[in-house]
Amino acid sequence: MVISGTKTAVEWLVSAAPDPQACRREWERSPLGVALLPAGRRWDVLIMPGELGRPTLDVLRLLLARPGPVLADDGAAGRSGTSMPRLGFFVPAGTASRWLATGVRGAGRGSWIVVPYPGRVTGGVRWLVLPDGEGTLTDPAVLELAMHEAAARVLAKEGRKS
């Protein structure tokens, strides 16, 4: 059974693919349930460490009725072998080339993003906020505001632990 929200999310995501049918086939055939989609066409992705990304998403949810899509990559292993989760916030195309922030990586034109099928649980990569199918993206100015608030909250919390 396909939920209508999932169907519109799928349609919106595959519209970014150079070959939408190939993207659908990849989701169906990949044992991981993921496909590669190009950033920079319909959206860019700003990727930040989970320590900042999760509180940023919490703040965004307070500021917005609905933030744009957000991916979590819980399976990225660092050099030490420990898991280093990351969050990817979908923002308007062109944002990554203009974004200046320490510790935030931009994926724009020329980058590819691992994207799970909406609504399916996959190994390591999952949706925290599903695409709405209408193209809602997070406004970069609001994301920046949320990041600053989140960073202040994280620092305040760390100060209380000391």
Side-chain angles (χ1 to χ4, degrees), residues 23 41 60 66 79 82 102 108 114 138 147:
C23 179
R41 293 181 79 175
L60 276 176
R66 188 185 197 303
R79 282 184 275 228
T82 60
T102 302
V114 174
T138 299
M147 284 176 56

Side-chain angles (χ1 to χ4, degrees), residues 112-137:
W112 292 78
I113 301 295
V114 174
V115 179
Y117 186 88
R120 285 190 197 149
V121 176
T122 65
V125 181
R126 61 192 168 92
W127 291 104
L128 295 181
V129 178
L130 279 171
D132 62 7
E134 296 177 19
T136 300
L137 300 167

Side-chain angles (χ1 to χ4, degrees), residues 55-138:
T56 296
L57 179 57
D58 291 342
V59 173
L60 276 176
R61 286 182 167 145
L62 295 173
L63 296 173
L64 302 170
R66 188 185 197 303
V70 179
L71 279 174
D73 179 359
D74 295 325
R79 282 184 275 228
S80 65
T82 60
S83 179
M84 297 188 321
R86 297 176 292 193
L87 268 66
F89 294 83
F90 282 55
V91 294
T95 301
S97 64
R98 298 184 307 270
W99 190 266
L100 299 173
T102 302
V104 178
R105 189 172 61 103
R109 188 166 295 283
S111 301
W112 292 78
I113 301 295
V114 174
V115 179
Y117 186 88
R120 285 190 197 149
V121 176
T122 65
V125 181
R126 61 192 168 92
W127 291 104
L128 295 181
V129 178
L130 279 171
D132 62 7
E134 296 177 19
T136 300
L137 300 167
T138 299

Side-chain angles (χ1 to χ4, degrees), residues 13-26:
L13 285 166
V14 300
S15 73
D19 182 345
Q21 292 308 317
C23 179
R24 288 175 193 280
R25 283 191 301 276
E26 186 63 24

